[in-house]
Amino acid sequence: MAYQSPALNVMIAAARKAGRPLIRDFGELENLQISLKGPGDFVTHADQRTEKLLIEELSKARPGYGFVGEEGGAIEGKDKSHRFIIDPIDGTSNFLHGIPHFAISIALEREGQIVAGIIFNPVTDDLFMAEKGHGAFLNNKRLRVASRKDLTSCLFATGLPFIGRPGHARAMAETAAVLGASAGIRRFGAASLDMAYVAAGRFDGYWEHGIKIWDSAAGLVLLREAGGVVSDFTGRTDGLSGQDILCANEHIHPQLLKLLRGVTV
Ligand code: LIP
């Protein structure tokens, strides 16, 4: 049974509450795909409304905590030692295209350290949760990273830049290097779920450049509590900005790091 502190319970309750209207919106999208205006504005609205709802719910239970969110940026709280890091819809493009692979991601930071995180896909009802020192869970089932030691049998996830984002040549070169050394790569489109899937042993590792702290914060604690190693591309595991992420089990992490650092563009 998962250990759930009062703080984690508050985060779970907020995500479940915000998840219900999000499922309705996701259903509505089917009609909007064919409308002239298209679903873009609708999704922006769903994103903003979900973040607002999460902030309202979390503030009721933890008044004074600060926030940093994808939509609203940073909100200073009276309590300077705590803040929630929120992504209302991680995997927005999937949501927009009617692909049920997106998540509400909430992390709790205490004195600059991520101490708890949840990643919730409201469509599949998958709830990943972790609290520092108390393990990682998926719907109450304890999670552990995969135990593979050989790169050639590993399945990896990554994120790729799209139009308007830098790093296309590097992404192609890194992808080629990993394709030539592993059992394959998936690009599922939601960084938080990619990290959760590594924690669950579904993927053997994941890497991406240039994401944001709200994409990765909950995944950081989940990965570590599942026995994984998370670093940036210098190999640093502490004080991560959450923007350049490489994670895997302790055997695969150094091999993947070496492979990706060897890529030149
Ligand atoms: C997205 C990620 C995705 C990544 C994109 C983007 P959003 O987050 O989860 O995997 O490749 O760069 O950051 O914008 O849907 O919250």
Side-chain angles (χ1 to χ4, degrees), residues 171-188:
M172 297 308 280
E174 288 182 347
T175 304
V178 176
L179 284 177
S182 71
I185 300 178
R186 303 287 182 269
R187 198 300 189 231
F188 279 8

Side-chain angles (χ1 to χ4, degrees), residues 47 70-71 87-94 102-103 158-162 165 187-194 206 208-212 214-215:
D47 235 331
E70 178 168 29
E71 298 303 317
D87 193 343
I89 308 178
D90 181 41
T92 318
S93 295
N94 284 345
F102 57 88
T158 190
L160 300 170
F162 40 85
R165 290 217 179 160
R187 198 300 189 231
F188 279 8
S192 61
L193 288 170
D194 288 336
Y206 156 76
E208 184 162 355
H209 300 273
I211 56 171
K212 298 285 192 283
W214 45 81
D215 297 316

Side-chain angles (χ1 to χ4, degrees), residues 1 10 34 95 99 110 127 145 148 194 203 225 234-235 265:
M1 185 72 182
V10 161
I34 48 164
F95 185 90
I99 300 169
R110 179 175 299 138
L127 175 67
V145 288
R148 289 187 189 83
D194 288 336
F203 292 135
E225 287 300 314
T234 68
V265 275

Side-chain angles (χ1 to χ4, degrees), residues 38-92:
D41 290 349
F42 181 81
V43 172
T44 307
H45 178 70
D47 235 331
Q48 289 168 346
R49 198 214 44 229
T50 304
E51 185 163 308
K52 189 166 169 277
L53 207 155
L54 289 171
I55 291 175
E56 277 167 14
E57 287 303 305
L58 293 166
S59 299
K60 262 190 241 162
R62 291 291 182 275
Y65 283 20
F67 289 91
V68 55
E70 178 168 29
E71 298 303 317
I75 303 171
E76 282 262 333
K78 276 201 195 110
D79 178 341
K80 304 288 175 220
S81 55
H82 290 91
R83 64 173 186 168
F84 289 110
I85 303 173
I86 296 175
D87 193 343
I89 308 178
D90 181 41
T92 318

